[in-house]
Amino acid sequence: MADTGVVETLLRLIEKVDDGVDSLEVAASLGVDHQVIVGAVKSLQALGDIISAELRSSKHWELTEEGTEIAEQGSHEARVFSSIPLEGLAQSELMKLSFGKIGFSKAMSNKWIRVDKSHEGGPRIFKTVESIDDQVREKLLLVKKANTAQLEEKEKNELKKRKLLSEVTVKSYWISKGISFSTTITKQETELTPEMVANGSWKEKKFKPYNFEAMGVAPDCGHLHPLMKVRTQFRQIFLEMGFTEMPTNNFIESSFWNFDSLFQPQQHPARDQHDTFFLSDPALAHEFPQDYLERVKKVHSEGGFGSQGYKYDWKIEEAQKNILRTHTTAVSARMLYKLAQQKFTPVKYFSIDRVFRNETLDATHLAEFHQIEGVVADYGLTLGDLMGILHQFFTKLGLKKWVEVGNSGVFRPEMLLPMGLPEDVSVIAWGLSLERPTMIKYGINNIRELVGHKVNLQMVYDSPICRLES
Amino acid sequence: MPTVGVKRDLLFKALGRTYSESYLLHLSLLNSLQTSEKEIISREQGDSKASGASDTILYKIDVPANRYDLLCLEGLVRGLQVFKNTLEAPRYRRVSPSSGEPQKLVITKETAAVRPHAVAAVLRNITFTQERYDSFIELQEKLHQNICRKRSLVAIGTHDLDTISGPFTYTAKPPGDISFKPLNQTKEYTATQLMSLYKTDSHLRHYLHIIEDKPVYPVIYDSNGIVLSMPPIINGDHSKITLKTKNVFIECTATDVTKAKIVLDMMVTMFSEYCSQPFTVEEAEVVYPDGKTYKYPELAYRKEKLSSEFINRKVGINESTEKIAQLLTRMCLLSQATGVGDEIEVEIPPTRSDIIHACDIMEDAAMAYGFNNIPRTTPRTYTVANQVPGFSSACLMCCSQEDIAEKLAKKISETKAVHISNPKTAEFQVARTTLLPGLLKTIAANRKMPLPLKLFEISDVVLKDETKDVGARNSRRFCAVYYNKSPGFEVIHGLLDRTMQLLEVKSVHSTFFPGRCAEIFVRGKSVGRLGVLHPDVINRFELTMPCSALEMDIEPFL
């Protein structure tokens, strides 16, 4: 806040005039620095429309340091002239004076002095005229008294060239009365306080306007990872379609449930060390439903249930191997087996959870990701039903070209019948990854920025809510 | 899904006409994509290397994984022509040699230790051209990569029969005792030398492990002691096939005889087309050590009966029995209505080993019908939705042993961690037993973010558990970390109080250890801990600020 004294004086000055005052003139008349007046103007502006201040800029000429010296003591040439006595002065003596060199050449060209080079004891300087007219000094004095207008442009430029004058731009305010002009000032309040509300003083208060250009303070809130946001949307879609979520909290699975029960042969490349994480501890699963296991073994090695089978030597050792599950279909298999042990009722299941593949990592592949899976089991389901439900699902998702996004199909009888499901029950299923749609939705190119500890927290903070249909 | 590359012009020549790109794309059999050799090379090796390559247009065709009959141009063309009704599916026949005894392959008992099975057949009076020859070699490679599981299950050897003389012996010998000149080499090597020679061969080194540590290696000799091949690694140079070869002896050695029969059937059905008697294959006899003799190739045709009602019901269409029989016939499954009700008799040819159940026939009918022509319906399945209380998070499940043990000043044996036997990197040694390291690593990777950092995760860890069938179980955890210039224990403590309030747990008490860590007890049971992290732990995760954390088991609250 500027000096209140200055502010009040300024207001009284404005009160007296009809139109307004120039801040520079005010400064001159009060004998204070211009910046003090500028400060007062700024603080009055902040209070609202007490004054109106129009910024003006003007150019004017000012003496340089050298120019000031000349205005006071005379030009160098004049000082040279006056320092020469009647009997003359040795040139070497003159040159010792501070103004000697410049003054000598100017005085010479003005023909005020002459040099007697043949003088005994070195060149000597004599006056050639009685008196001189120091025009430079007079011009500078005019500038100093702010009577610049009396000088010709050419003269000013000449002096500028001699670095005696400089042209400066001065900013000043033209200050006049504002709409709510008053000579008494009330301090503006920054915030409404409980007291103001209680005693009604807010009615008299003026409030400082907010700066709506500035950013607000970021709310102190949590941020959900984009994957979680997309996951919530997928769950919502499944729940709307009447699907029940499967418990998927078993990352460690036996090869039996992950592969064999799905009628995936034991030599299948997916069961290779290069594709699946096997466990060294605990290396083997030790408990299986024995009669079911026998039926699985038979359908692989000999066929049955209307199938030729794969006709190979099925080994329990292979089925026992523990792995990190490679798909959530292992969970679906357990659920369907469980279902087959009861009186069959139609079900619609879904799950969204982690699966693991021993992949070589790159920008789009990670060794672990989330799989979304939907399963419908009922009497007499058709391929048309599969395509219909996929269409519904992906329409809700807002995806037209769904064929490329996921996998889908009908579970084979060799998988379902050994479980004990009724023969006329069909199971349709489809799956896709959670990461892929999330990356598309949030424009993320490198999966490692999305998942894992290298996640970019700024991205987590900034990502908008997920509305898949939009 | 294997991809088959065929030259467009060859395909059109074989089909006897040209087709538009879009037409081929619409064929439900194929998913094709047009490209040229030049484009492939320039994509893979840069433009400079591509300048010399041909501009021949290649079709890259994705073939279903079990359709081995579509892995070469011959099979693709045949499939398309039958589908277009321009060709009747050929009948493949096994024939006896016109004169004399069939070729014989005798298996000795030594093979039992390494590769006990073999099958064989002869293609008589075949005519090769450069393209046919290339396709012949290419099909072997494709079969090796797919059904043969990189030669581990089955390995194919093809030989110029006129350079060798039967009967042939399939035996197994110590590698030092096997010596021959392998394909495209100039001198003889012992099997031991070959194994080290091929260590650096970009192609063959992938197959060495199949027999490397066996005491004996498989080898096939002719009656004069000439080596035909040392399966599954390399053939002999002596019997190699050339463009001039007229009679081909094909042997397949295997650990899985079912697959070997399929592979042999595939080779001979595809290339008997070029024999003087097309689609006939001369039989060969295989004699097992126990004296049992088998004739190959099997070329078995199998008959299945099913009802058109079954197909209509499973696909969700309503077509006549005759129409469905036609659809199947176009898929190389010769079918006819038997006249008994809506019964259809379907004949499965030796090329369609993928048909193992009526559901496969149903799928072929749907494919011929066109998936896009099947009316989309909504299952009537009435169900009520239920959800599992679920959370998840984005930190990785797997990590290094160091993360969950050493860095947290624990012994790995104390962690009950599940260990992975075949990780590709150290980041996948164990499944995590705690959520804390993941959050600390996340902070370390985001040190440029403004303080304080407050992170939480609700997710599963995996712990060994003898009572479970697989010996391990998931456990749901809640973990939170506060990272700032001061440890902010009160923030973490406040979070715990709030969490407990939301979980409606009243009897929480924290037993403060001397120092700055507290154990969380709920109803008298310890469920987790909270406190200020030890500076050593902070340093080991490459962090520089104080940090307080909370981790607890939330399984009891689910």
Side-chain angles (χ1 to χ4, degrees), chain A residues 228 242 245 267 273 276 278 280-281 305 308 311 322 348 354 358 368 378 383 385 391 412 452 455, chain B residues 149 258 313-314 356-357 360 376-377 381 383 386 392 394-395 397-398 419 421-422 424 446 464 470:
Chain A
M228 298 306 105
E245 191 165 13
Q267 313 87 341
Q273 295 274 331
T276 298
F278 289 87
S280 56
D281 181 24
F305 304 102
Q308 300 290 308
K311 300 194 172 78
N322 274 336
K348 292 193 289 206
R354 248 176 246 265
N358 200 358
E368 48 181 279
D378 199 353
L383 287 180
D385 287 336
H391 178 74
R412 295 188 66 90
V455 62
Chain B
R149 301 278 178 263
T258 311
R313 175 161 49 86
K314 290 287 181 184
I356 60 173
H357 193 280
D360 297 310
R376 289 172 183 173
T377 48
T381 315
T383 50
N386 262 315
S392 194
C395 279
M397 190 59 217
C398 299
H419 291 254
S421 67
N422 58 332
K424 281 185 182 148
N446 284 279
K464 278 199 276 184
V470 296

Side-chain angles (χ1 to χ4, degrees), chain A residues 67 69-82 106-107 110 112 131-142 159 162 164:
Chain A
E69 192 187 321
I70 288 170
E72 280 165 13
Q73 304 181 16
S75 65
H76 302 303
E77 55 272 31
R79 288 167 79 187
V80 164
F81 181 81
S82 55
K106 268 285 168 192
N110 285 352
W112 291 348
S131 64
I132 52 156
D133 180 12
D134 189 353
Q135 287 188 351
V136 174
R137 187 185 182 196
E138 277 160 24
K139 286 175 193 162
L140 290 177
L141 281 171
L142 279 177
L159 291 169
R162 285 182 67 178
L164 302 177

Side-chain angles (χ1 to χ4, degrees), chain A residues 310-354:
Chain A
Y310 293 123
K311 300 194 172 78
Y312 70 99
D313 190 10
W314 188 91
K315 294 191 177 77
I316 176 73
E317 293 78 9
E318 206 52 53
Q320 277 185 302
K321 287 182 181 169
N322 274 336
I323 58 166
L324 290 177
R325 70 172 176 222
T326 64
H327 45 204
T328 48
T329 319
V331 175
S332 309
R334 280 182 184 263
M335 292 297 284
L336 289 169
Y337 173 74
K338 209 171 128 195
L339 190 64
Q341 306 319 300
Q342 310 150 2
K343 183 179 160 22
F344 177 80
T345 47
V347 294
K348 292 193 289 206
Y349 287 143
F350 81 96
S351 64
I352 308 173
D353 208 349
R354 248 176 246 265

Side-chain angles (χ1 to χ4, degrees), chain B residues 181-235:
Chain B
K181 186 165 89 175
L183 195 63
N184 302 329
Q185 294 288 340
T186 49
K187 60 171 189 140
E188 284 201 1
Y189 292 85
T190 66
T192 318
Q193 289 169 331
L194 277 180
M195 294 304 265
S196 64
L197 177 71
Y198 292 142
K199 273 269 180 311
T200 53
D201 186 294
S202 64
H203 180 55
L204 295 177
R205 67 190 162 97
H206 301 294
Y207 309 119
L208 303 181
H209 73 95
I210 302 172
I211 56 166
E212 207 167 21
D213 52 357
K214 306 276 185 199
V216 288
Y217 288 2
V219 61
I220 302 176
Y221 292 100
D222 85 343
S223 58
N224 300 317
I226 287 168
V227 170
L228 273 65
S229 63
M230 184 176 86
I233 312 295
I234 190 82
N235 287 348

